[in-house]
Amino acid sequence: MRKKIVKHLMILFSIIMVSLMGTYIGLAVYYHNAFEYGTWINGVYCTGKSIEEVNEELVKDFTYEGVTIRDKEGNSYTISAQDIAYRFDFEKALEIYLQRQNSWMWVESLIHGEDTKLTPVVSYDKKLLEASMDTIPFLAEKQEKTDNLNVAIIKTNQGYELLNERTSVLNVEKARNIVVAAIEESRNEVSLEDEGCYHDLELTAQMKETLALWDKLDDFQQCGIVYQMGEEQVPIDASIVCDWIETDAAGSFLLDENGELQLREGAVEDYISRLAEEYDTVGKARTFRATRGEDVIVEGGIYGNQLDQQAEITYLTDAFLAKKKEVHEPAYKQKAWVQGKEDIGTTYIEIDMKEQKMYYYVQGNLQIETPVVTGNTSRKMGTPTGVNYVYLKQKNRILRGPNYASHVDFWMPVKGNIGIHDAAWRSNYGGTIYQTNGSHGCINTPRAAMEQLYDMVEVGTPVVMFY
């Protein structure tokens, strides 16, 4: 009985083994012309599929519009797939992949599935590609142009600058080869800088001398001094300093015995003179917005800023040679309440002699408004126009002149003997009184308004006087 059971088991085992062998051999034969179990290519499930079937799916899912080429300046150009008759197909790549597949080892694929990335076999019209690259400026340059690249120092509105055409030069041949490779690999973008297509060209002895001179120029032009002119900052940069370098009649740089550039005699003086001409305001014409609602031009007067030019020449010469970096407020022979070109500010006295009105503003807010009487124009004693300032305040003053001596309680001179004061001898103000019965040139003011003004105004307050 036992022998019978063993015999049956042996027969059953043989049948199973034969079945398994048959299945193994059958699948090995099946996978000989099809992709084995667990095969993924470019995200497509390929198990049991033929090359033609997989190729059809891969082609359907693959798109390529062309390559964008970027240079180091950020310029970009695109060569479209259509322009070069671009074609692609995965069949050859799939054939190679399938040939590497061992169908007799299909059991391993049950354990180790595989997701492979394949690139298509690309074809394109080489002549069309060459023509397309020739339309791109940085790929169309010839070697002859590269050979003529130079090193030179040029003068611009920003000062002396170095023109070095021999650094970071595009290797056109390498760049074109990179573009071809990118298209054959179906890449969408290529950076010529990242691909190492730029290199420095060899320098001649003369070019090396030019670079050495440039180092001296660049150092000379480095100036960190900034003039604070009121709210405005005026940097002394290369555009200014470039004219401070000593040169000969031909414009060549003159070096001292140590081979260093020299500061041109009179250069700093010239600059400070121009700075003063631009920012000195004493006596200059100003556009002023009158309370009556129009812009008037006010010329003359003693108020304003005036640079101490000699002090600034000394400062700037020393600071420049010491390579100082600082914001500098200049020294003034005369300093207004506000520095810069708009020096009147928002606190001032306005005397409108056409309207015979006086106004006092504090930080832009009107505090006092009063009629006045100014100089007698019929006797050619009209009050002079200009921007002046209160330079003194006195009480109980006797004003003297030819054939008169008048007592005033409040006296504020603004230019010479011309001042603002009360006038007890007057009962009326404003209108046209000044034309026939005006003052000797001063601004006669009602006592109540004058007392208020005297208490509020500080010495130095601008006084804007106009018709």
Side-chain angles (χ1 to χ4, degrees):
M1 183 63 133
R2 178 182 286 176
K3 289 183 178 181
K4 202 172 190 178
I5 292 173
V6 171
K7 182 179 180 180
H8 282 114
L9 288 173
M10 291 294 292
I11 293 171
L12 180 61
F13 178 75
S14 299
I15 292 171
I16 292 173
M17 290 301 295
V18 169
S19 297
L20 289 174
M21 289 293 291
T23 300
Y24 183 85
I25 294 170
L27 287 174
V29 173
Y30 174 72
Y31 285 133
H32 183 71
N33 293 311
F35 294 95
E36 61 189 22
Y37 182 82
T39 300
W40 291 79
I41 298 176
N42 294 3
V44 173
Y45 186 62
C46 304
T47 300
K49 296 179 181 178
S50 66
I51 289 175
E52 291 74 16
E53 291 173 322
V54 174
N55 183 57
E56 183 178 348
E57 290 192 49
L58 292 178
V59 168
K60 180 180 64 177
D61 294 339
F62 183 82
T63 58
Y64 184 69
E65 296 181 355
V67 63
T68 297
I69 306 114
R70 303 187 189 282
D71 68 3
K72 65 182 175 67
E73 281 81 27
N75 302 311
S76 62
Y77 297 84
T78 299
I79 297 176
S80 71
Q82 184 178 357
D83 289 342
I84 59 174
Y86 175 92
R87 297 288 184 271
F88 63 92
D89 193 276
F90 287 89
E91 190 166 322
K92 179 61 69 176
L94 291 170
E95 287 178 1
I96 295 172
Y97 180 84
L98 189 60
Q99 288 172 6
R100 290 168 47 208
Q101 175 181 294
N102 188 347
S103 62
W104 294 101
M105 301 297 292
W106 63 266
V107 175
E108 288 189 4
S109 66
L110 297 176
I111 303 171
H112 305 291
E114 187 174 307
D115 189 355
T116 303
K117 297 294 182 184
L118 292 183
T119 57
V121 175
V122 170
S123 64
Y124 55 88
D125 189 314
K126 293 184 178 181
K127 290 185 178 180
L128 289 177
L129 176 56
E130 290 291 329
S132 294
M133 287 193 289
D134 286 341
T135 64
I136 300 176
F138 51 78
L139 294 182
E141 295 179 352
K142 303 301 180 184
Q143 184 63 40
E144 294 76 17
K145 182 176 180 180
T146 302
D147 292 339
N148 293 328
L149 296 178
N150 196 16
V151 176
I153 295 171
I154 59 175
K155 191 175 184 182
T156 70
N157 292 333
Q158 286 72 47
Y160 287 105
E161 296 181 1
L162 177 67
L163 176 64
N164 190 347
E165 300 173 324
R166 300 186 73 80
T167 61
S168 195
V169 178
L170 180 66
N171 185 324
V172 178
E173 182 179 356
K174 182 177 181 179
R176 291 172 77 102
N177 290 336
I178 290 292
V179 172
V180 171
I183 290 173
E184 292 178 349
E185 295 167 9
S186 301
R187 292 161 57 188
N188 294 313
E189 186 172 318
V190 61
S191 168
L192 298 181
E193 187 170 25
D194 293 344
E195 294 289 345
C197 293
Y198 293 90
H199 65 291
D200 294 344
L201 300 180
E202 187 176 350
L203 301 175
T204 65
Q206 179 62 50
M207 291 174 182
K208 291 178 181 178
E209 289 181 10
T210 300
L211 288 177
L213 177 59
W214 166 248
D215 288 340
K216 298 178 188 295
L217 275 171
D218 189 40
D219 180 65
F220 189 97
Q221 290 186 142
Q222 297 299 321
C223 184
I225 301 165
V226 177
Y227 266 85
Q228 188 72 50
M229 309 301 293
E231 295 295 321
E232 184 181 357
Q233 289 193 334
V234 182
I236 301 180
D237 55 23
S239 67
I240 295 170
V241 176
C242 67
D243 293 324
W244 294 5
I245 305 172
E246 187 72 71
T247 60
D248 61 20
S252 299
F253 303 111
L254 295 177
L255 306 180
D256 62 18
E257 61 275 9
N258 297 317
E260 299 299 326
L261 295 166
Q262 302 178 71
L263 180 63
R264 178 173 60 81
E265 185 177 353
V268 175
E269 289 86 343
D270 291 343
Y271 176 75
I272 293 298
S273 177
R274 291 196 301 272
L275 191 70
E277 184 178 351
E278 183 174 1
Y279 288 95
D280 280 1
T281 56
V282 177
K284 283 192 174 179
R286 298 170 175 85
T287 299
F288 178 78
R289 185 67 176 178
T291 301
R292 68 193 187 208
E294 61 180 296
D295 289 335
V296 294
I297 304 298
V298 185
E299 297 185 75
I302 62 172
Y303 175 81
N305 294 295
Q306 184 178 16
L307 288 178
D308 186 336
Q309 294 191 41
Q310 191 55 55
E312 286 311 302
I313 290 168
T314 301
Y315 160 77
L316 184 54
T317 301
D318 294 342
F320 173 71
L321 293 176
K323 294 298 180 184
K324 289 186 177 179
K325 296 183 182 298
E326 60 188 14
V327 177
H328 172 70
E329 183 175 345
Y332 292 90
K333 282 188 174 180
Q334 178 177 317
K335 195 172 184 180
W337 270 20
V338 178
Q339 282 64 62
K341 297 175 183 177
E342 303 297 329
D343 62 345
I344 294 175
T346 57
T347 297
Y348 55 87
I349 297 171
E350 174 186 347
I351 300 174
D352 186 337
M353 293 178 285
K354 178 181 178 181
E355 299 290 331
Q356 290 291 286
K357 286 286 191 72
M358 180 166 66
Y359 309 91
Y360 176 52
Y361 286 88
V362 177
Q363 295 183 354
N365 298 311
L366 181 61
Q367 302 295 315
I368 297 174
E369 177 180 351
T370 179
V372 294
V373 175
T374 62
N376 191 327
T377 55
S378 66
R379 298 179 61 188
K380 298 183 179 181
M381 294 181 179
T383 303
T385 62
V387 180
N388 301 296
Y389 66 96
V390 175
Y391 63 84
L392 183 68
K393 291 171 63 175
Q394 287 183 331
K395 292 183 178 180
N396 298 317
R397 172 72 184 267
I398 301 295
L399 303 181
R400 301 181 184 278
N403 305 316
Y404 75 89
S406 302
H407 174 271
V408 297
D409 292 334
F410 306 99
W411 166 245
M412 295 194 309
V414 298
K415 182 182 180 183
N417 294 324
I418 304 296
I420 306 170
H421 60 79
D422 56 295
W425 55 91
R426 290 191 184 278
S427 57
N428 295 315
Y429 295 86
T432 59
I433 297 172
Y434 76 103
Q435 295 177 359
T436 57
N437 190 27
S439 70
H440 292 89
C442 288
I443 299 91
N444 293 175
T445 307
R447 190 184 189 287
M450 188 64 211
E451 182 177 12
Q452 184 184 9
L453 183 68
Y454 187 92
D455 289 340
M456 295 179 69
V457 167
E458 297 181 34
V459 172
T461 301
V463 182
V464 187
M465 305 160 65
F466 58 90
Y467 287 91

